[in-house]
Amino acid sequence: MQDSFSIYGTKLNSRLFVGSALYPSPQIMQDAIKASGAQVVTLSISRQNPQQQGGQNFWSIIQSLGVHLLPNTAGCHSVKDAVNMAKMSREIFQTDWVKLELVGDDYNLQPDPIDLVKAAEILLNDGFKVLPYCTDDLVIARHLVELGCEVLMPWGSPIGTGKGLLNPYALQAIRDRFPDITLIVDSGIGVPSHAVQAMEMGYDAILLNTAIAHANQPERMAIAFKKAIEAGRGAYLAGPMAEQKSANPSTPTIDSPFWHHSA
């Protein structure tokens, strides 16, 4: 039985979203994306505009993969810039999906929580299906949900750091508070075990780029993440054992069968 979920009504079977930047070559990117089994690929109009010279080859590769496109507003520092980039992306890539990114501080590229909410409201009212990249702040998450966002993408840690889930409590609080909202951990995932941890919490998917693109063998790392996400999801559905305060023997002797061996 397929364990599917949906993004604004679009059914997906793969819970791994991957980025299209930073790969050593277009061919390695293509091989890694195929190996990952991802059905959603993120891309930025600021880096891969198919209407500009040099962008056509990249665009052809992405189209050949038959994936859903998730344009992002990477690099935007204001509401106006983010909204304008989203509108250009919709026209060029022919999708109303947008991963809304709005940098609040260049030190750790933390999303600006206030302007993010403002931009999300504008784009939702314009018919966009907004996937906001936010911090793990529960109150900001609530504001985004109340505006109409059906998907949230809280960070695990600052983008590109590979530090994993710095605040598991905060991420778990968002999951528990919004059981019916699609939640995707985005940024900071460095190794497959980080992805397993997020999926065991009940998160719906993982979005990553650098961890695959910068691996010594991107295709092999893509496969590792694919399996990790499947393992984490399976563990969440199975239900983990409760932690105990003291040791308990896994093979109790009372009321258990006894086999006697005689020489």
Side-chain angles (χ1 to χ4, degrees):
M1 179 175 165
Q2 200 83 48
D3 179 33
S4 61
F5 71 115
S6 67
I7 299 292
Y8 285 98
T10 298
K11 183 178 177 182
L12 299 171
N13 296 320
S14 172
R15 294 175 180 271
L16 174 58
F17 293 20
V18 296
S20 56
L22 307 175
Y23 291 89
S25 72
Q27 185 61 55
I28 291 175
M29 176 197 71
Q30 185 177 22
D31 292 342
I33 291 174
K34 285 182 178 179
S36 74
Q39 294 173 286
V40 176
V41 173
T42 64
L43 70 173
S44 173
I45 189 175
S46 63
R47 300 190 181 99
Q48 292 107 12
N49 185 341
Q51 294 182 351
Q52 294 178 349
Q53 185 177 6
Q56 189 60 47
N57 181 48
F58 173 86
W59 181 235
S60 298
I61 292 173
I62 293 295
Q63 286 181 309
S64 72
L65 295 171
V67 295
H68 296 281
L69 301 180
L70 178 57
N72 63 45
T73 59
C76 290
H77 288 72
S78 71
V79 172
K80 181 181 179 180
D81 287 347
V83 169
N84 286 340
M85 185 177 288
K87 290 180 177 180
M88 286 189 289
S89 295
R90 178 167 62 180
E91 181 177 343
I92 291 172
F93 299 119
Q94 296 296 298
T95 178
D96 54 8
W97 284 13
V98 62
K99 176 190 169 188
L100 179 58
E101 298 185 42
L102 216 162
V103 178
D105 189 271
D106 287 327
Y107 177 72
N108 65 357
L109 301 180
Q110 179 172 327
D112 186 314
I114 298 170
D115 283 350
L116 186 71
V117 172
K118 292 177 181 178
E121 183 173 18
I122 293 170
L123 293 173
L124 286 166
N125 289 336
D126 195 27
F128 281 89
K129 295 177 172 63
V130 180
L131 292 79
Y133 166 57
C134 55
T135 60
D136 50 18
D137 187 294
L138 180 62
V139 176
I140 294 301
R142 178 175 61 80
H143 283 299
L144 291 167
V145 170
E146 289 174 350
L147 285 176
C149 292
E150 297 180 16
V151 181
L152 299 180
M153 306 181 77
W155 71 358
S157 52
I159 189 168
T161 63
K163 291 182 177 296
L165 310 186
L166 290 184
N167 195 339
Y169 172 82
L171 289 170
Q172 188 67 66
I174 294 174
R175 176 72 285 174
D176 294 344
R177 176 67 175 82
F178 304 108
D180 299 323
I181 295 295
T182 298
L183 297 179
I184 303 169
V185 171
D186 178 13
S187 90
I189 300 294
V191 291
S193 59
H194 297 159
V196 172
Q197 184 183 7
M199 296 304 293
E200 287 176 341
M201 290 181 179
Y203 272 73
D204 296 287
I206 303 293
L207 191 156
L208 54 89
N209 189 168
T210 309
I212 292 177
H214 280 187
N216 291 332
Q217 299 182 43
E219 186 175 350
R220 176 169 287 184
M221 185 61 81
I223 294 171
F225 271 107
K226 177 183 178 180
K227 293 180 177 179
I229 288 169
E230 291 172 352
R233 178 64 180 173
Y236 170 74
L237 293 175
M241 63 169 281
E243 292 186 7
Q244 305 295 324
K245 291 183 178 180
S246 59
N248 288 282
S250 58
T251 308
T253 56
I254 300 175
D255 295 328
S256 62
F258 177 75
W259 290 271
H260 176 71
H261 175 73
S262 57

